[in-house]
Amino acid sequence: MLNRRHFVAIAAVSAALLSSTSAIAADAHKVGILIPGSKSDKGWMESGYNGLLAAQEKYGENLEVQMIENINYADMEQALTQLAMGNELVIGVGGQTQQAVYKIAQRFPDTKFSIVGGNEGMEASNVAGYDVKQAEIAFVAGAAAAMMSENGAVSYVGGMEIPSIVNAGKEFGAGAKYINPDIKYFEAYTGDFDDVAGSKEATLAAINQGADVHYHILNLGLRGMEQAATENGTHIIGSYSNYCGTDPLYIAYSITGVGYQVEYAIDQLVEGTWEPGYMPFGLAMGKDASDMIVCEGDEEMKATLEEIMQKLLDGEISTLEG
């Protein structure tokens, strides 16, 4: 069984989400969501949570939500089982939920499951996989980093060394070299999206070799990159959501619509148009799904990035999957 703190988390979050409504409609749609990390990580998980809040605001009393966050991998199947027992739709936020979702989906054939960060290649009649196309927008982030770097050196830190995360790192480097073939590029993986010490160590190693702009696919591990950058006067390109103007440490943000896809899954449920299967998002789905925001870049820089994104859309530039 899930331990007590997870049951408390479900009840507390449900109450918070529903506090703006006086009651839940008898025929309200029921959605369960598993956010494996912290909903306050300034990254993937927070973006997913923001999408959930947007859906709750949109549908009000017609949507009843349960959420489990910050779950250990060993407890993931049990968490999904708990959510599947009482909801029409269960959303796994992150590719790390994919294996467990497909396993639990077999036990609940009448429940719909959506995976934000799902990969192509796995199929089930009640599972939808939404590919955020991180490698695609990472190429654009790399181009932005190269244009903003004063030292001609940039770095990337990923969490788990799995294909989608590695491919994003490779494309970040490729995007940087697209702008500056001579740029120095440093790439590292901590093995854990929440490893603060590991991400700080990796970022410091890159800084010591000249890197002054950093990119990441991390959750709470981002705190370590922030510490390293703050201590050394370097800067970060953030991921997932646009928070320009809130922290001078961040000079740009790549939009990877995790929250957009959470909201999309709920919209599809409510509208009766939800379908299983693999679905790529990325730049082709519009700027809410994927975009590159430079907080204070000049017009020439922004035009160059728009040109690169159009070339990606047109197939003139191709990237790895992930």
Side-chain angles (χ1 to χ4, degrees), residues 214-228:
H214 319 292
Y215 188 59
H216 72 93
I217 295 184
L218 298 166
N219 294 334
L220 285 177
L222 177 58
R223 302 292 187 268
M225 178 176 282
E226 290 178 329
Q227 292 168 13

Side-chain angles (χ1 to χ4, degrees), residues 76-92:
M76 203 168 288
E77 290 181 14
Q78 295 175 20
L80 288 166
T81 299
Q82 174 67 24
L83 293 173
M85 290 173 64
N87 293 289
E88 301 168 69
L89 170 68
V90 175
I91 303 171

Side-chain angles (χ1 to χ4, degrees), residues 189-235:
Y189 301 88
T190 64
D192 185 336
F193 294 110
D194 296 325
D195 185 352
V196 175
S199 64
K200 182 176 183 178
E201 181 180 356
T203 305
L204 285 173
I207 290 172
N208 289 336
Q209 297 179 81
D212 59 352
V213 179
H214 319 292
Y215 188 59
H216 72 93
I217 295 184
L218 298 166
N219 294 334
L220 285 177
L222 177 58
R223 302 292 187 268
M225 178 176 282
E226 290 178 329
Q227 292 168 13
T230 299
E231 292 168 6
N232 290 274
T234 59
H235 291 90

Side-chain angles (χ1 to χ4, degrees), residues 92-104:
V93 181
Q96 63 266 52
T97 69
Q98 180 165 278
Q99 185 175 358
V101 164
Y102 275 96
K103 183 174 180 179
I104 300 306

Side-chain angles (χ1 to χ4, degrees), residues 86-295:
N87 293 289
E88 301 168 69
L89 170 68
V90 175
I91 303 171
V93 181
Q96 63 266 52
T97 69
Q98 180 165 278
Q99 185 175 358
V101 164
Y102 275 96
K103 183 174 180 179
I104 300 306
Q106 296 178 40
R107 294 175 48 198
F108 295 89
D110 295 328
T111 301
K112 299 174 175 65
F113 294 82
S114 291
I115 305 165
V116 176
N119 298 323
E120 193 170 13
M122 299 181 72
E123 295 184 4
S125 62
N126 60 335
V127 180
Y130 305 144
D131 186 349
V132 300
K133 307 287 282 186
Q134 289 185 107
E136 180 184 66
I137 199 62
F139 183 96
V140 188
M147 286 189 281
M148 291 186 286
S149 173
E150 296 180 359
N151 296 346
V154 299
S155 72
Y156 167 84
V157 179
M160 294 179 67
E161 198 167 351
I162 56 179
S164 61
I165 307 305
V166 172
N167 287 351
K170 298 298 182 189
E171 292 301 344
F172 177 77
K177 291 183 180 296
Y178 181 86
I179 296 295
N180 177 6
D182 297 322
I183 200 163
K184 295 179 181 178
Y185 169 56
F186 307 100
E187 180 181 342
Y189 301 88
T190 64
D192 185 336
F193 294 110
D194 296 325
D195 185 352
V196 175
S199 64
K200 182 176 183 178
E201 181 180 356
T203 305
L204 285 173
I207 290 172
N208 289 336
Q209 297 179 81
D212 59 352
V213 179
H214 319 292
Y215 188 59
H216 72 93
I217 295 184
L218 298 166
N219 294 334
L220 285 177
L222 177 58
R223 302 292 187 268
M225 178 176 282
E226 290 178 329
Q227 292 168 13
T230 299
E231 292 168 6
N232 290 274
T234 59
H235 291 90
I236 298 173
I237 294 178
S239 299
Y240 312 116
S241 300
N242 177 11
Y243 293 123
C244 278
T246 63
D247 187 341
L249 190 64
Y250 289 84
I251 52 177
Y253 291 89
S254 67
I255 306 305
T256 310
V258 177
Y260 175 82
Q261 291 174 57
V262 169
E263 193 172 358
Y264 176 90
I266 296 172
D267 286 343
Q268 297 296 292
L269 174 70
V270 173
E271 294 166 6
T273 57
W274 184 96
E275 293 183 352
Y278 169 79
M279 182 175 180
F281 280 69
L283 293 169
M285 287 292 284
K287 291 187 176 297
D288 287 336
S290 188
D291 197 9
M292 189 70 223
I293 306 296
V294 177
C295 297

